[in-house]
Every structure is written in structure tokens, then in C-alpha cells.
């Protein structure tokens, strides 16, 4: 990190465009300024920020004033929205940024009757909370009767920061949260912090590299999951075939896949075509304003719930 006075802006709070313009203009006026986007913007959304400062006395007082005002500003929700926008507004209201600024980016969420604090990292995709995860969490909470997770066995692939796994745990499931080795430290920290002494079954965190040693690490005879959950695991990466193999290996005859995904035309079309060769797929809900769809899937030929 550069030495001397400066400002680090980690984007996870809604700020007005004027604040963005002002912060950008500070480059050259203070010794350094870094801007990170976490998570990436969706079409039509405002930029999202929270401020992490170093040697704040080096930052102009005008900037301090603007930042203080914006940190306390609440997002506005207008009346007259269509059903999609109203639902999305409700989902996004479950997310709020910290009032106290720290040197590590984090956010809070309200799901399953709990305040969930998630520590993020800006250096990799797996360490930020993506909007698809919020959509899936909201669905699990609001459909807890139809899709009861109490005492059910759940595995999340690509768990990232662990938000979906945490919500599933708080709703009563036996949860196994999985991801790549470099993500597991932060994942374990978030899950332990948000579930210890709060849940019926303590969740597990395990390494899972898609398509690698699946039978060795997750033997079919022992790993029989009621639900497989995934949020935004299909994007521009070279492991789509391995992801498909992982879904196929983990999915038993009665397993239900709940999967939220942001639409990406080329990648999605390629993967969905292969996916539907093995699974029956059903759209549960769609959120055009977020460009996100929530799917349910089971092995082909098995009766959907």
C-alpha cells in the first residue's frame, strides 16, 4: 500500500455520482487514491462505495464533509414500481453498509431473523457478495415452508463469502460450504462468526475444486445431499465442463438444485445447453432489473416438487 496520506475507496455502498466525481478529482491532490468495485455494477445501478481512509487528516475537509453526509444517507425507494422492482428493492434492503469505517471491507445483511456480518476481500471474485447470493437468500427465507431446510443436508458450491451457507444454516440445515483453497480462510471466518451458538447444526467448510477428486472427497455412498445451492457460478471462466461434472456427481435422484445466476448470453447459453442434457430445469423466478434468474433443477426424469 502506498505510504503517506491517501484514500482507499472500496465500492460497497450506494453513493451519489457527485461523490464519485469528487473522489476521482482528488487524484493528484492527495498522494494516492485507489478505487475498487465490489461487487461489479449492474446495468442501471448507481455506484456503490464505502470509505476506508488512511491518515484522514491528509484528506481535504470538503471531502470529509461529503463522505460523512453520504455515509448516513439511506437509499430511496419510489412508489409505483412494478413487481420485479419492488421485490428487488426488498432484497436490497436486506443489505447495509457499516456505520463505522474500518480497514477491512465488510457488509451486513438481515436474513433468517439474524444480522449477518460478512467480511469481504477485493482481490478475488470469491471473496465478495454478489447480487445473485442475495436473491437466493431471500428466496430461502421467504419460501421456508415449501422448501424447508430443517434437518436437510445442503451443499453450496462456490460458496465465496458464505452468505448463502450461513442463511441455510440459520434456517436449520446441515450445511457443507465449499470453494477453492484460497477462499477457505475468509469463508471459514464468516461462517463461524455468524453461526456459532446460533444454529441447530454447525456447518462444515471443505475444499472443492470443480471436477477434481470428486469421488475421493465426496463419495456418493456417503454424501447424499437434499439440496445443492449455487449463486453466480457460471461466468467467464474455463471450468464450465468441470462445474457440470461437479453438479452431476453431487446430485442424487432426489437432490434439488437451487441456483441463482446473472444472465451472460454466450457463457449461459453454452452451459445451459449442456446442463439440460443431464437435468430438468425450471425457472422459479426472474428479476429483469437485476438480470438474474433463479432456477430449480433435478436429474432428468425425476419428478419436480
Amino acid at each position: 500500500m502506498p505510504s503517506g496520506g491517501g484514500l482507499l475507496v472500496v465500492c460497497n455502498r450506494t453513493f451519489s455520482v457527485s461523490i464519485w466525481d469528487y473522489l476521482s478529482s482528488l487524484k493528484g491532490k492527495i498522494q494516492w487514491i485507489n478505487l475498487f468495485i465490489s461487487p461489479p455494477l449492474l446495468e442501471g445501478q448507481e455506484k456503490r462505495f464505502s470509505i476506508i481512509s488512511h491518515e484522514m487528516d491528509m484528506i481535504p475537509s470538503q471531502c470529509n464533509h461529503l463522505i460523512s453526509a453520504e455515509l448516513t444517507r439511506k437509499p430511496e425507494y419510489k412508489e409505483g414500481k412494478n413487481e420485479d422492482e419492488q421485490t428487488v428493492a426488498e432484497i436490497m434492503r436486506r443489505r447495509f453498509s457499516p456505520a463505522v469505517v474500518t480497514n477491512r471491507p465488510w457488509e451486513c445483511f438481515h436474513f433468517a431473523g439474524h444480522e449477518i456480518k460478512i467480511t469481504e476481500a477485493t482481490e478475488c471474485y470469491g471473496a465478495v457478495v454478489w447480487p445473485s447470493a442475495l436473491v437466493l437468500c431471500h428466496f430461502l427465507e421467504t419460501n421456508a415452508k415449501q422448501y424447508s431446510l430443517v434437518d436437510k443436508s445442503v451443499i453450496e458450491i462456490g460458496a465465496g463469502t458464505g452468505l448463502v451457507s450461513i442463511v441455510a444454516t440459520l434456517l436449520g440445515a446441515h450445511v457443507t460450504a465449499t470453494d477453492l483453497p484460497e477462499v477457505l480462510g475468509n469463508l471459514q471466518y464468516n461462517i463461524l462468526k455468524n453461526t456459532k451458538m446460533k444454529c441447530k447444526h454447525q456447518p462444515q467448510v471443505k475444499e472443492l475444486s470443480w471436477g477434481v477428486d470428486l469421488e475421493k472427497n465426496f463419495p456418493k455412498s456417503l454424501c447424499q445431499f437434499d439440496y445443492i445451492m449455487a449463486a453466480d457460478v457460471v461466468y467467464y471462466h474455463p471450468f464450465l465442463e468441470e462445474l457440470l461434472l461437479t453438479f452431476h456427481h453431487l446430485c442424487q435422484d432426489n437432490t434439488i438444485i437451487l441456483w441463482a445466476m446473472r444472465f451472460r448470453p454466450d457463457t449461459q447459453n453454452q452451459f445451459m445447453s449442456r446442463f439440460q442434457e443431464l437435468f430438468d430445469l425450471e425457472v422459479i423466478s426472474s428479476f429483469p432489473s437485476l438480470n438474474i434468474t433463479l432456477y430449480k433443477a433435478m436429474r432428468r426424469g425425476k419428478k419436480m416438487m
Side-chain angles (χ1 to χ4, degrees):
M1 182 175 293
S3 60
L7 181 66
L8 171 64
V9 182
V10 180
C11 311
N12 61 356
R13 183 176 179 86
T14 302
F15 265 52
S16 64
V17 175
S18 61
I19 295 297
W20 168 260
D21 291 339
Y22 183 78
L23 291 173
S24 297
S25 73
L26 291 178
K27 288 187 176 183
K29 296 181 181 179
I30 58 178
Q31 292 186 34
W32 58 271
I33 177 169
N34 288 331
L35 307 175
F36 297 92
I37 297 180
S38 168
L41 297 176
L42 300 177
E43 184 177 355
Q45 283 189 322
E46 295 182 13
K47 295 179 175 64
R48 302 172 68 84
F49 304 90
S50 70
I51 303 301
I52 300 174
S53 63
H54 300 268
E55 300 187 30
M56 284 294 289
D57 57 311
M58 297 292 293
I59 300 174
S61 59
Q62 181 184 2
C63 183
N64 276 323
H65 174 73
L66 288 170
I67 291 169
S68 298
E70 286 292 333
L71 282 173
T72 58
R73 185 174 65 86
K74 295 186 180 295
E76 296 179 358
Y77 299 97
K78 298 179 181 179
E79 296 182 0
K81 294 181 177 180
N82 61 37
E83 184 177 352
D84 164 57
E85 291 175 322
Q86 289 175 346
T87 304
V88 168
E90 163 59 24
I91 292 172
M92 294 307 168
R93 276 196 289 267
R94 305 300 187 90
R95 174 186 208 161
F96 64 95
S97 296
V100 178
V101 180
T102 67
N103 62 355
R104 293 187 68 185
W106 61 274
E107 292 185 284
C108 276
F109 304 85
H110 283 297
F111 287 109
H114 291 268
E115 181 179 294
I116 301 168
K117 182 178 178 180
I118 295 293
T119 299
E120 299 178 315
T122 58
E123 65 270 13
C124 63
Y125 279 5
V128 297
V129 177
W130 302 92
S132 293
L134 274 69
V135 167
L136 184 49
C137 288
H138 182 264
F139 174 82
L140 295 176
E141 181 187 66
T142 56
N143 294 272
K145 290 185 177 180
Q146 183 178 357
Y147 294 88
S148 175
L149 298 183
V150 177
D151 298 330
K152 295 297 195 317
S153 179
V154 172
I155 185 169
E156 184 186 5
I157 60 175
T161 60
L163 180 62
V164 173
S165 289
I166 290 166
V167 172
T169 298
L170 295 174
L171 290 172
H174 295 270
V175 174
T176 302
T178 70
D179 214 312
L180 295 171
E182 58 266 29
V183 180
L184 294 186
N186 190 58
L187 175 59
Q188 178 73 66
Y189 173 82
N190 283 330
I191 285 181
L192 184 62
K193 182 180 182 67
N194 290 287
T195 63
K196 188 175 181 180
M197 307 298 291
K198 301 177 183 178
C199 58
K200 187 175 183 181
H201 309 289
Q202 191 61 39
Q204 297 181 9
V205 174
K206 293 185 67 174
E207 176 184 341
L208 173 55
S209 298
W210 297 339
V212 177
D213 294 330
L214 294 175
E215 182 58 29
K216 176 183 176 181
N217 296 325
F218 297 89
K220 287 187 177 182
S221 60
L222 299 177
C223 299
Q224 300 183 16
F225 299 106
D226 298 297
Y227 291 95
I228 299 172
M229 297 185 184
D232 234 348
V233 293
V234 178
Y235 52 93
Y236 300 106
H237 62 71
F239 305 108
L240 295 178
E241 191 64 28
E242 289 82 356
L243 174 60
L244 185 63
L245 289 173
T246 302
F247 272 125
H248 185 261
H249 177 83
L250 296 174
C251 190
Q252 306 276 347
D253 286 348
N254 295 317
T255 303
I256 296 172
I257 299 171
L258 295 175
W259 167 27
M261 180 173 69
R262 185 184 177 197
F263 182 72
R264 299 174 176 90
D266 294 339
T267 304
Q268 185 188 47
N269 291 340
Q270 174 190 353
F271 184 81
M272 297 298 275
S273 177
R274 293 281 290 116
F275 187 86
Q276 288 179 283
E277 294 174 7
L278 301 174
F279 300 95
D280 289 321
L281 191 65
E282 174 186 329
V283 174
I284 299 178
S285 56
S286 181
F287 304 93
S289 63
L290 289 177
N291 214 15
I292 291 173
T293 303
L294 181 61
Y295 297 98
K296 177 173 71 173
M298 293 185 72
R299 280 184 177 273
R300 286 188 65 86
K302 300 302 175 182
K303 186 178 180 181
M304 288 277 202
M305 287 178 57

